[in-house]
Amino acid sequence: MHIHHFALVALISLAITLGVATTGSVFRPDSWYAGLQKPRGTPPPWVFPVVWTLLYILMAFAAALVYVHPESPLRLAGLTLYGLQLLSNALWSWLFFGRHQILGALLDLVLLLVLVLGCAIVFALISPLAAWLLIPYVLWLGVALYLNAATYRLNSAS
């Protein structure tokens, strides 16, 4: 693989990934969110954009590493899972912040975690480094799952 080819693929992957991230960022915390009871351990607001930016960069490089491998059904499966998890990722913001559907967002987050784990497994078969680059994302999704589930529990009508 030529380094210029990988650099171009990585830039395209980063543009696609950050493009999807931007659609999710259209739906931001508002007064509804400010009024919710938040679980213990909720990070301060500045943490979220910092962490997500780093995660999106790692995700994009993981996808680029897989993309530059020879075409195969496995590569297609991995990149398909990657695309699906990006869509699910963007859907979460719309559900939670846009529609104020805490339970719907939680269900989407479970789907997202399954998609990312599947993606990481397939990526590992193609490029172990690509799979390792997804591990911080999986860990952060665990944090997000806790925050979303606890927020639902704290704010659902008894």
Side-chain angles (χ1 to χ4, degrees):
M1 165 185 63
H2 197 274
I3 189 69
H4 295 297
H5 176 67
F6 177 75
L8 179 60
V9 168
L11 282 174
I12 292 169
S13 179
L14 189 60
I16 291 169
T17 301
L18 292 178
V20 172
T22 300
T23 65
S25 72
V26 168
F27 306 99
R28 305 175 65 87
D30 56 11
S31 58
W32 168 81
Y33 178 74
L36 292 175
Q37 292 183 52
K38 315 250 185 348
R40 173 175 274 175
T42 299
W46 67 266
V47 169
F48 293 96
V50 171
V51 169
W52 276 112
T53 300
L54 294 172
L55 292 175
Y56 284 125
I57 291 168
L58 293 175
M59 291 162 49
F61 278 102
L65 286 169
V66 169
Y67 184 85
V68 297
H69 275 73
E71 286 188 42
S72 71
L74 196 58
R75 184 185 88 155
L76 178 60
L79 293 174
T80 299
L81 285 168
Y82 183 78
L84 290 172
Q85 70 82 21
L86 279 178
L87 291 175
S88 179
N89 185 307
L91 181 61
W92 185 91
S93 295
W94 176 74
L95 288 168
F96 193 91
F97 293 118
R99 304 290 301 160
H100 302 164
Q101 296 293 318
I102 302 171
L103 181 58
L106 179 60
L107 295 173
D108 177 66
L109 192 51
V110 171
L111 172 64
L112 176 57
L113 190 52
V114 168
L115 288 168
V116 174
L117 287 170
C119 185
I121 290 167
V122 175
F123 276 21
L125 299 171
I126 300 165
S127 167
L129 177 56
W132 279 108
L133 289 172
L134 294 180
I135 297 303
Y137 185 27
V138 171
L139 295 173
W140 184 253
L141 289 177
V143 171
L145 188 64
Y146 157 73
L147 293 172
N148 195 153
T151 300
Y152 176 72
R153 183 183 53 77
L154 289 169
N155 294 279
S156 60
S158 301

